[in-house]
Structures are given as structure tokens and as C-alpha cells.
Amino acid sequence: MTTLRLPISSVLALGLLLILLVPNGASAQVDTFAFETEEQQQRFRHLSNVLRCPMCQNTNLSGSSGGTAEDLRREIHAMIIDGWTNEEIEQFMYDRYGDFIFYQPRLRAETILLWFGPLLFLLIGGLIAFSVWRRAKSYEDKSADLDEEQQDRLRKLLDDKPL
Amino acid sequence: MQRWKAFVPLLAFVALAVLLWRGLYLDPKELPSMLIDKPMPAFALTTVEGKEVSNADLPDGMFLLNVWGSYCLPCLVEHPTFMRLAEEGEIPVVGVNYRDRKDLALRWLDDNGDPFAFSILDESGRFGIDLGVYGAPETYLVDANGVIRYRHVSVLDENVWREEFLPAIAELQAEGSE
């Protein structure tokens, strides 16, 4: 009698693959907003992607089923139909919810560290790496300052080293 | 090379560790309100009982504006504090019934008691957007000139009242805008 025996690891791998292949639910909320033009619809899609849902911390408006996000989507739709520009709508959101509403906060004195902090750390790291490299290099140069006789001695010492 | 330089990486590590450790205990829900020091947004709505209200109906002196809903469990937790404040006449409380149903809101007030001077009915959540509301419960401290001076997100219990609101109120009284 033969039974099909698969190594446990291949079963696990297959399971993992299935999880990855099956679409993990809808990531966007489906609204039935009517727009007059394609351009308006695209602006709506853009705004609800770059604006964050205030109550759910790390989802954009288009991906959130939260009540406040629903209200804000409805509001954006109405504003687009009323002829507001993207800048006006973003200002409206900023006046009420502040920097948090944007995934890319505005460049201001308070947000400058957020924007350029990583660059600053890269610079610091680069400086440290550079100084370490320079010191190692100067050490190398110094070690080359041996005359013929010293070099010979050194070579002999290294060769004599018992293995 | 000076000896102290050897401790720079350790010091840098400790500084970063302390910073991140502190970060673990920050509440990410506590976001600064954009409406601090701004006048309360204009509104012309009805109360949950159906009476028309606007900014003119707000209390004359300092008052609290509490965002609540019948669906909101933390609102039940903070409710006794508002009941006490209303009973003892410490400060008037105006409610904002946020994204709720009128009948459920009325039943909630019936069941649990009504500490509010009145509750503004904001079924659509549109007034909540003007207030920059994240979700119930939230409580705003509004001064006698109708300017928002303080906001607390989440439950306002006796501790929060004592440690955050009493000092804020004392500060407002000191500057004479009571």
C-alpha cells in the first residue's frame, strides 16, 4: 500500500504560495459617485489616495471604510462637482485636520526634519564611513614607510611564522 | 585619538534608545487640533430633540463641547463625569451627536441621563468635519468668546478632568477670558 507523502516543507511552501496568489480582499472602497468628466473622477481618485483617513491612522481615504473617511470622500466628491481646485480641497482638509491628513506633509519648519532627516542621517553615516576609510588609508601609507632592510626583516618574520 | 571619542557610539546609541523608548509610550491618537485658538465653526442645525440651534444658542461663558454617539462605548465610560459636571453646575456641556441616528441618540439619553445643555444633531458628520473630529469621544474646551482653547481625544474621566481640564480652565480664568 502506498500513500502519497509530501515533505512538510513543500506543503508549507505551497500554502504560502496560495496565500500570496489569492487576492487579499479589496483594498479600495467602492463608492458610487457620479462625475461629469473623466478628469474629475481621476482627481477624486488622486485626492482620496494622497489624503489619510483621520481616524484609522494608516490608511488613505480610498482604502478606509471608517465613518469619517466615508464623510470626507463624500465631501471631496461634492467639492469637485462644485468646481473646487485640488489646492483648495487640500487647504480645506489642512485647515481642519492639519499635517496628519497628508501622506506627504507640507514642507514647513515643523516638518523639515521629517523631510530631510533621512538625508541628514545618511550624511552623518557617510562622514563617519569617510573618516574611518581615511584613517585606515593613512595607516596603510605609514606601514609602507619601511626601508629595504626593514622590509626584509618583516618578510623573514612572516615567513618564519610557524603554521 | 582622545579617549572620550571611543564613547561616542555608545552615547549615540543611548540617546537613540531613549528617544525610541519614549516614542513607544506616545499615544499616536493624540493629534494636535487645528482649531485651537480658532473660533468655533458656524453651524445652523437642530438638536437631537428637533429644536433649531446655531452659534447664538451656545452658553455665554466657558463651556465643554463633547462629541458623542449612542454606538460609542467609551462615551458610556466618560458619561458619569459629564453627569456630575452638569449636576454640580461646574461647567455647561454642549453635545455633538456625531454620525448617529436620532432615535438611538434619544434612547441613549433616556437610558443613561442627559448632561447636555443641548445636543447638536450631526447625522451626516458634516459639522464634525468642520470641527476636525476624528471620532467620538472628543471634548473641546471653548472660552467665553467662543474660541476653542483645548481639545481632548478619547475618554474624559475624572482623572483627565482633574489633570488636564482644571489646569486649562484655571489658565483661561487667569487671563480673564472667563
Side-chain angles (χ1 to χ4, degrees):
Chain A
M1 193 176 94
T2 55
T3 48
L4 180 64
R5 291 189 59 149
L6 284 169
I8 189 87
S9 60
S10 63
V11 174
L12 279 176
L14 195 70
L16 210 69
L17 195 70
L18 278 175
I19 289 169
L20 288 174
L21 287 179
V22 172
N24 53 346
S27 64
Q29 295 300 311
V30 182
D31 289 308
T32 47
F33 288 128
F35 291 95
E36 287 150 10
T37 66
E38 182 72 19
E39 183 251 345
Q40 286 181 338
Q41 186 154 11
Q42 259 160 28
R43 281 177 52 210
F44 177 81
R45 220 170 286 149
H46 166 77
L47 284 167
S48 49
N49 277 333
V50 298
L51 294 175
R52 192 199 301 256
C53 158
M55 76 197 298
C56 27
Q57 303 267 320
N58 214 1
T59 319
N60 57 18
L61 285 185
S62 76
S64 167
S65 58
T68 309
E70 207 181 293
D71 291 350
L72 289 178
R73 283 198 302 269
R74 197 185 53 225
E75 204 59 30
I76 291 171
H77 170 254
M79 286 190 280
I80 287 177
I81 296 293
D82 283 353
W84 291 45
T85 67
N86 281 11
E87 289 71 34
E88 284 166 342
I89 295 172
E90 283 175 12
Q91 187 61 41
F92 173 94
M93 295 297 170
Y94 179 77
D95 288 343
R96 284 156 182 77
Y97 292 101
D99 284 309
F100 186 80
I101 198 80
F102 300 122
Y103 265 105
Q104 293 193 6
R106 293 175 169 181
L107 190 56
R108 297 184 306 120
E110 286 94 332
T111 57
I112 203 149
L113 199 66
L114 208 56
W115 274 101
F116 296 107
L119 197 69
L120 183 78
F121 283 115
L122 187 70
L123 236 100
I124 293 172
L127 280 176
I128 292 172
F130 179 71
S131 76
V132 166
W133 171 77
R134 226 180 39 180
R135 200 178 312 142
K137 196 165 176 291
S138 73
Y139 189 72
E140 251 171 49
D141 293 346
K142 249 178 243 153
S143 67
D145 280 353
L146 302 173
D147 58 29
E148 261 324 278
E149 195 184 325
Q150 286 171 318
Q151 285 285 7
D152 276 346
R153 257 185 72 201
L154 178 64
R155 215 167 288 130
K156 208 175 279 167
L157 276 168
L158 285 173
D159 286 345
D160 286 351
K161 204 174 97 185
L163 282 171
Chain B
M1 187 181 92
Q2 299 98 319
R3 230 181 144 66
W4 61 265
K5 270 194 184 166
F7 291 99
V8 169
L10 181 70
L11 286 176
F13 170 76
V14 170
L16 193 65
V18 168
L19 185 79
L20 296 179
W21 181 262
R22 281 203 42 197
L24 284 180
Y25 294 94
L26 294 178
D27 183 358
K29 298 242 176 218
E30 230 158 77
L31 295 156
S33 170
M34 290 300 282
L35 273 88
I36 301 296
D37 294 334
K38 299 232 173 75
M40 186 153 146
F43 66 95
L45 294 159
T46 68
T47 64
V48 285
E49 290 87 6
K51 193 175 143 267
E52 280 181 22
V53 278
S54 69
N55 297 61
D57 299 298
L58 293 170
D60 289 330
M62 209 186 285
F63 66 94
L64 297 179
L65 188 72
N66 174 242
V67 181
W68 67 279
S70 64
Y71 51 83
C72 154
L73 276 178
C75 295
L76 271 182
V77 178
E78 63 178 7
H79 197 251
T81 307
F82 290 118
M83 288 303 283
R84 183 187 68 77
L85 292 176
E87 271 161 29
E88 295 176 8
E90 225 173 308
I91 190 166
V93 185
V94 174
V96 176
N97 181 247
Y98 179 64
R99 288 182 60 89
D100 202 355
R101 263 172 45 196
K102 200 173 169 170
D103 54 329
L104 296 179
L106 286 169
R107 195 195 304 160
W108 193 86
L109 291 173
D110 246 15
D111 289 349
N112 303 299
D114 183 355
F116 305 111
F118 57 87
S119 275
I120 303 165
L121 183 68
D122 181 28
E123 273 173 312
S124 68
R126 184 59 188 76
F127 183 53
I129 292 179
D130 279 341
L131 270 174
V133 164
Y134 289 81
E138 282 183 26
T139 305
Y140 297 76
L141 177 63
V142 185
D143 74 10
N145 303 318
V147 175
I148 293 174
R149 301 301 293 269
Y150 190 78
R151 173 177 72 164
H152 177 77
V153 176
S154 86
V155 174
L156 194 169
D157 56 16
E158 292 292 340
N159 271 334
V160 175
W161 173 252
R162 219 171 21 245
E163 279 158 30
E164 291 182 30
F165 279 82
L166 284 182
I169 289 169
E171 210 173 292
L172 289 192
Q173 279 166 341
E175 66 183 56
S177 67
E178 189 207 355

